[in-house]
């Protein structure tokens, strides 16, 4: 008598959507785009030296070549560990990272005296440190790809990641100002000469938890109690999760004194909730809660002061920065003037005055670059960011499990929201924030966290584009134990 064969997991039990995909790796396309990106970075560096030094040094190509070797190493890792990943992600991020390193070296040249410029080492100053941080960030991304052979394995640690994210968010708030405050925002941990921004890593941990939680609870959160103007609104008893995250975001706004971080955390939860439930009402509730809370904080800052005073001051600067153009409004005024000076085509790489703009290497790097490459150049950078977000959303649409859809969609939106928050601040669309421009600004925390974000998107897109075997089950990634492929999704999808 023959024993009955154990049936393979069906799409219904794993939360996957059946389909058939052809095996097509696009690694050669990725390599070609990566080489093109490095050529553009080298051309940018040569133009900077021509304008600043009136000559092009023989080793102008060294930073681009060093970056190219680093990114080539990651390309080989992707070719081995994630051969079906989206081919546009790595080249787009490499271009942004390379332009950031190139501008920071241009900033070093601007700060040096004319006698020092010709002898300024390629790997010295802020640009050299950013190059080193890039190496560390790419190694971290490669390590994550090696450890996480399937994105669904993150669901096993969802609650641990959620707790870790909350702790990372709250640490700067409870530390004394001398250990956590820079430029009025308490977002850092400062010990001696070492600084780290834990909130950058917290967003990744919290988003993994949000995706896991919402996959399990989306059916309950999708229930409607009443219909108003054609929009189904949720039951009052289901507002608990949104209110909890809203309170946490208000605590961040008040005690960490930063609107951007508060908006980032709350925004990524509400959008992930919308992706999970497809209820527009959650977006309306989220926007109402956030703007209502921000207005309340502004009113309390004007009347009570205390922990609300910092937000009130920032809002006042935003409303009229020219009221005190040489005092509180100086940074924002200089940023607006810098963008205006750049005009449509800019002064050319190396032709601006970045030393006149405070914090041009971090908060205002987009304005500093804009002075030199103009509106057209900034538009190209924004399109590059938009491409990364679009590829992340495409991975979310194509991946076959619900956890991956929420994870990739949330990560893509978070990156786009962070770009909006920082560019909105320097262009006076919203109050100034303490956020950094992804992949451009100087600093290791933001760079490492955002490269980890890209690594997760690469892993999800690899799972989405991987060919489907008979029965609608994705072929197993190289080196992935079978239990990682089938065990985790079942736990994630089961309500």
């Amino acid at each position: 008598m023959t024993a009955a064969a154990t049936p393979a997991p069906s799409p219904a039990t794993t939360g996957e959507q059946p389909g058939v995909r052809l095996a097509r790796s696009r690694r050669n396309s990725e390599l070609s785009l990566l080489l093109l990106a490095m050529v553009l970075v080298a051309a940018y560096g040569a133009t900077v030296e021509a304008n600043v030094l009136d000559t092009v040094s023989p080793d102008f190509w060294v930073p681009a070549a060093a970056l190219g070797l680093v990114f080539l190493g990651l390309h080989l890792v992707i070719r081995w560990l994630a051969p079906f990943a989206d081919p546009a992600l790595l080249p787009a991020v490499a271009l942004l990272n390379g332009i950031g390193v190139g501008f920071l070296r241009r900033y070093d040249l601007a700060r040096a005296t004319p006698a020092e410029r010709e002898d300024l080492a390629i790997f010295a100053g802020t640009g050299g440190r950013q190059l080193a941080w890039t190496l560390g960030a790419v190694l971290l991304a490669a390590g994550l790809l090696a450890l996480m052979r399937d994105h669904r394995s993150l669901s096993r640690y969802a609650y641990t990641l959620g707790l870790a994210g909350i702790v990372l968010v709250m640490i700067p708030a409870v530390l004394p100002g001398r250990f956590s405050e820079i430029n009025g925002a308490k977002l850092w941990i400062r010990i001696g000469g070492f600084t780290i921004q834990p909130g950058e890593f917290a967003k990744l941990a919290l988003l993994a938890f949000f995706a896991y939680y919402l996959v399990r609870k989306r059916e309950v959160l999708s229930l409607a109690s009443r219909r108003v103007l054609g929009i189904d609104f949720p039951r009052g008893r289901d507002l608990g999760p949104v209110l909890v995250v809203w309170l946490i975001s208000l605590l961040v706004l008040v005690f960490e004194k930063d609107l951007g971080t508060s908006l980032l955390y709350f925004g990524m939860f509400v959008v992930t909730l919308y992706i999970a439930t497809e209820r527009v009402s959650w977006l309306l509730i989220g926007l109402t809660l956030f703007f209502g809370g921000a207005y309340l904080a502004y009113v309390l800052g004007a009347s009570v002061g205390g922990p609300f005073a910092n937000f009130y001051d920032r809002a006042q600067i935003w409303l009229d920065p020219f009221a005190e153009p040489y005092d509180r409004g100086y940074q924002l005024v200089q940023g607006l003037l810098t963008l205006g000076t750049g005009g449509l085509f800019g002064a050319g790489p190396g032709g601006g005055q970045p030393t006149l703009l405070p914090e041009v290497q971090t908060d205002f790097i987009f304005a500093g670059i804009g002075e030199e490459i103009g509106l057209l150049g900034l538009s190209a950078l924004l399109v590059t960011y938009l491409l990364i977000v679009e590829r992340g959303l495409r991975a979310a649409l194509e991946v076959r499990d619900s956890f991956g859809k929420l994870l990739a969609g949330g990560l893509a939106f978070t990156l786009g929201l962070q770009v909006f928050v920082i560019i909105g601040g320097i262009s006076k669309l919203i109050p100034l924030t303490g956020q950094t421009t992804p992949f451009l600004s100087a600093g290791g925390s933001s760079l490492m966290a955002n490269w980890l974000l890209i690594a997760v998107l690469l892993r999800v897109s690899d799972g989405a584009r991987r060919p489907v075997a008979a029965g609608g089950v994705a072929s197993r990634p190289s080196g992935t134990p079978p239990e990682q492929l089938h065990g985790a999704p079942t736990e994630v999808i089961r309500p």
Side-chain angles (χ1 to χ4, degrees), residues 459-473:
R459 176 56 69 205
V460 175
S461 68
D462 176 65
R465 298 160 62 91
R466 185 170 293 277
V468 177
V473 179

Side-chain angles (χ1 to χ4, degrees), residues 11 22 33 45 71 116 128 169 175 220 253 270 283 319 345 383 398 433 441 459 468 476:
L22 298 176
L33 291 173
F71 298 139
E116 296 171 338
V169 169
L175 287 177
V220 174
L253 175 64
V270 171
L283 294 179
L319 291 172
F345 300 103
V383 168
E398 293 180 347
T433 70
S441 297
R459 176 56 69 205
V468 177
R476 179 158 55 94

Side-chain angles (χ1 to χ4, degrees), residues 32-68:
S32 300
L33 291 173
L34 186 60
L35 293 175
L36 176 61
M38 291 303 98
V39 169
L40 293 176
V41 171
Y44 179 84
T47 309
V48 165
E49 290 196 356
N51 284 328
V52 176
L53 305 177
D54 292 328
T55 185
V56 179
S57 63
D59 55 356
F60 78 92
W61 53 272
V62 174
L67 286 169

Side-chain angles (χ1 to χ4, degrees), residues 8-19 152 215 218-219 400-402 471-473 486 489-495:
S10 66
T13 60
T14 61
E16 297 181 357
Q17 299 172 357
R152 294 168 289 189
V215 165
R218 61 180 175 180
E219 291 185 4
R400 290 171 287 276
D401 66 284
S402 299
V473 179
H486 298 303
T490 304
E491 296 173 3
V492 171
I493 297 303
R494 184 180 298 139

Side-chain angles (χ1 to χ4, degrees), residues 72-97:
L72 178 62
L74 183 57
H75 163 77
L76 294 177
V77 170
I78 296 172
R79 185 179 285 267
W80 173 40
L81 296 176
F84 297 97
D86 193 299
L89 283 172
L90 176 60
V93 177
L95 176 62
L96 293 172
N97 201 156

Side-chain angles (χ1 to χ4, degrees), residues 264-469:
L264 189 66
Y265 294 148
F266 188 65
M268 69 183 187
F269 176 75
V270 171
V271 168
T272 308
L273 178 57
Y274 167 70
I275 296 173
T277 63
E278 300 182 6
R279 296 288 189 192
V280 177
S281 55
W282 284 117
L283 294 179
L284 299 178
I285 292 171
L287 290 172
T288 302
L289 286 174
F290 183 82
F291 287 113
Y295 179 73
L296 178 62
Y298 174 78
V299 172
L300 291 176
S303 57
V304 178
F308 304 96
N310 182 271
F311 176 68
Y312 174 77
D313 290 339
R314 289 203 174 201
Q316 287 294 104
I317 295 171
W318 167 61
L319 291 172
D320 189 7
F322 292 93
E324 299 180 60
Y326 298 103
D327 189 14
R328 296 190 306 171
Y330 180 77
Q331 186 182 33
L332 182 54
V333 168
Q334 289 299 313
L336 294 173
L337 293 176
T338 298
L339 289 172
T341 302
L344 189 60
F345 300 103
Q353 299 291 331
T355 54
L356 300 179
L357 183 58
E359 306 298 335
V360 68
Q361 75 279 17
T362 53
D363 296 7
F364 275 70
I365 192 169
F366 204 76
I369 294 176
E371 182 185 15
E372 299 189 343
I373 64 176
L375 178 61
L376 291 180
L378 288 183
S379 298
L381 292 182
L382 288 177
V383 168
T384 306
Y385 280 117
L386 185 62
L387 173 65
I388 298 171
V389 173
E390 185 272 334
R391 304 308 286 193
L393 294 176
R394 173 170 292 190
L397 290 172
E398 293 180 347
V399 73
R400 290 171 287 276
D401 66 284
S402 299
F403 176 74
K405 289 181 179 296
L406 295 185
L407 183 64
L411 288 173
F413 172 79
T414 299
L415 180 64
L417 181 59
Q418 185 170 351
V419 174
F420 166 78
V421 164
I422 185 62
I423 295 177
I426 66 175
S427 61
K428 199 180 171 294
L429 182 62
I430 62 174
L432 280 175
T433 70
Q435 293 293 312
T436 54
T437 310
F439 307 110
L440 290 178
S441 297
S445 300
S446 176
L447 192 62
M448 287 188 171
N450 284 303
W451 269 107
L452 287 176
L453 184 153
I454 294 300
V456 177
L457 286 180
L458 287 168
R459 176 56 69 205
V460 175
S461 68
D462 176 65
R465 298 160 62 91
R466 185 170 293 277
V468 177

